[in-house]
Amino acid sequence: MALMTSRFADGLAVGSDLVEAAEHAVGQALSRLSGQADLVCFFICGDDPDDVARAGQAAMKLAPEAHVIGCSATGVIGDGQGVELTPAVSAWAATLDGARLTTFALETLAAEDRFVVVGLPERGGDDHVAILLADPYSFPTDAFVERSVDVLGELPLIGGLANGLQGRGSVRLFADGEIYTEGAIGVLLSGPLKVSTVVSQGCRPIGPSMVVTASEDNLLLELAGQPALARLEDIVSELDEDDRELVASGLQIGLAMDEYAERHERGDFLIRGVIGIDPDREAVAIGDIVEVGRTVRFQVRDAATADEDLYDLLDAHREELGKVDGALLFSCNGRGSAMFGTADHDPVALRDTLGPIGVAGFFAAGEVGPVAGHNHVHGFTASVLVFSSTPGGS
């Protein structure tokens, strides 16, 4: 929550009347702005997709001069707290003096033996970032994000996969007065802005870094010249009981983003899940395709590690950027109360580290954000878009 009028503000309303909640949350955010809103984002958790659509339509009408985007979700974030699996609306409004905003809607078309994404905005030389909100059931978000460099260059993407309390078919996306039941929407931010991203994957390395010496698709066959499964078993055998329990509950693996680094520690990896083993081939299956020569390191994730990782990254970010004015937060729906015992953890962390700024967002079914300059879709991650003071700004 912004404690005074500023360039960024948020709002939150909880209640079964979603239209009323949307009007209250958006109105609250707008009333806290020091100027006219240029961008409004809102997020809706509701039982009935039709009610969600009506609430979204009402929200978009409240800021006719602004660019407005939003989506349905299974939980929302605003006013310094998270609300999960309960009808609620959060909103975020920003005054972006001089910025250029381009909203877009993406859809997938079949073209011979492949799919083509259409609707991308034209790039400019002063583009900073694109916010992306996608329907995970109809839009190939993983493939689009992983190959975004082919069509968007090095433009950072940040956002999340929308959802609805009824799952497939209940997702609703909103952009500048239009309602979409599939695809993806977003906004491209350009011009005199100072924005940056924070992606907290919340993992801790176990065992040594190892080079992949044999692989096949997503199967790790050999690590450092030995069968991958044998390497993993050796690592697990040396862990204490607590870490063995973390391995049993969900082992991860990190793919080193800089092969030339002398050491690879926490934060130096793109995290992917370990999804199984093949005892016959002594192989380990992971949630990505890894080429021979890549450096990897097994990882574990728990609440304490995820907490420390987010706070450390935000602290370092604040020291680097100076005054932070606002932020959008896309937090995995596997975080919140499921990981920390409270839905408020991530928004509280932002307030603790970045100050009483306008922050809103939602609990996503997958998070989008760059790691080491490359866009990826993540799980169990907090992806944050941070707005800082520009020269001559407030």
Side-chain angles (χ1 to χ4, degrees), residues 55-205:
Q57 191 69 62
M60 289 188 286
K61 290 179 179 178
L62 291 176
E65 303 302 319
H67 289 283
V68 185
I69 63 169
C71 68
S72 59
T74 57
V76 302
I77 295 167
D79 201 28
Q81 60 188 295
V83 179
E84 299 171 315
L85 305 175
T86 301
V89 180
S90 68
W92 182 87
T95 298
L96 304 171
D97 298 324
R100 188 173 71 257
L101 309 177
T102 307
T103 55
F104 56 85
L106 307 180
E107 61 177 320
T108 307
L109 302 178
E112 298 179 351
D113 60 343
R114 60 194 178 97
F115 290 97
V116 177
V117 173
V118 297
L120 287 167
E122 292 188 10
R123 289 292 316 278
D126 59 351
D127 298 337
H128 295 290
V129 67
I131 301 168
L132 181 71
L133 309 176
D135 172 16
Y137 303 103
S138 66
F139 188 76
T141 313
D142 286 88
F144 172 75
V145 170
E146 293 295 335
R147 299 192 61 185
S148 61
V149 67
D150 296 339
V151 289
L152 298 174
E154 298 298 324
L155 181 74
L157 296 176
I158 194 143
L161 304 187
N163 211 336
L165 292 179
Q166 295 184 23
R168 181 183 294 272
S170 68
V171 173
R172 297 294 181 267
L173 305 170
F174 308 92
D176 283 356
E178 299 294 329
I179 301 174
Y180 302 88
T181 59
E182 59 184 17
I185 59 95
V187 59
L188 175 64
L189 307 181
S190 313
L193 288 169
K194 187 177 180 182
V195 294
S196 52
T197 59
V198 175
V199 177
S200 174
Q201 301 177 89
C203 279
R204 168 169 53 85

Side-chain angles (χ1 to χ4, degrees), residues 5 14 26 53 95 141 151 168 173 186 188 211 218 276 282 327 335 349 382:
T5 56
V14 180
V26 175
T95 298
T141 313
V151 289
R168 181 183 294 272
L173 305 170
L188 175 64
V211 174
N218 71 324
E282 295 189 89
R335 292 171 68 96

Side-chain angles (χ1 to χ4, degrees), residues 155-340:
L155 181 74
L157 296 176
I158 194 143
L161 304 187
N163 211 336
L165 292 179
Q166 295 184 23
R168 181 183 294 272
S170 68
V171 173
R172 297 294 181 267
L173 305 170
F174 308 92
D176 283 356
E178 299 294 329
I179 301 174
Y180 302 88
T181 59
E182 59 184 17
I185 59 95
V187 59
L188 175 64
L189 307 181
S190 313
L193 288 169
K194 187 177 180 182
V195 294
S196 52
T197 59
V198 175
V199 177
S200 174
Q201 301 177 89
C203 279
R204 168 169 53 85
I206 57 172
S209 295
M210 296 169 287
V211 174
V212 177
T213 48
S215 66
E216 180 181 304
D217 296 328
N218 71 324
L219 284 179
L220 300 179
L221 300 175
E222 288 185 3
L223 296 174
Q226 299 294 322
L229 182 55
R231 284 287 188 183
L232 174 57
E233 290 172 341
D234 288 344
I235 292 169
V236 173
S237 69
E238 296 179 359
L239 298 177
D240 60 29
E241 184 175 345
D242 289 341
D243 278 352
R244 288 185 187 181
E245 289 182 2
L246 292 179
V247 169
S249 63
L251 179 64
Q252 314 293 315
I253 193 165
L255 315 180
M257 301 306 294
D258 181 2
E259 291 292 341
Y260 300 102
E262 292 184 6
R263 299 182 62 185
H264 295 99
E265 301 297 339
R266 191 179 70 187
D268 296 331
F269 299 91
L270 173 66
I271 303 300
R272 291 294 184 249
V274 173
I275 59 179
I277 59 173
D278 183 341
D280 293 336
R281 303 182 70 182
E282 295 189 89
V284 176
I286 69 171
D288 209 332
I289 295 175
V290 183
E291 298 176 350
V292 169
R294 193 78 179 267
T295 300
V296 299
R297 192 173 181 185
F298 289 106
Q299 313 266 331
V300 292
R301 178 189 283 123
D302 61 1
T305 298
D307 173 83
E308 181 181 353
D309 187 62
L310 180 57
Y311 272 88
D312 285 352
L313 286 172
L314 291 171
D315 280 334
H317 210 69
R318 182 199 59 209
E319 292 176 4
E320 178 183 347
L321 294 174
K323 186 176 185 296
V324 174
D325 298 326
L328 284 167
L329 169 61
F330 308 98
S331 183
C332 181
N333 55 22
R335 292 171 68 96
S337 57
M339 179 178 287
F340 301 108

Side-chain angles (χ1 to χ4, degrees), residues 47-60:
D47 297 313
D48 187 336
D50 292 334
D51 288 345
V52 171
R54 283 188 286 270
Q57 191 69 62
M60 289 188 286

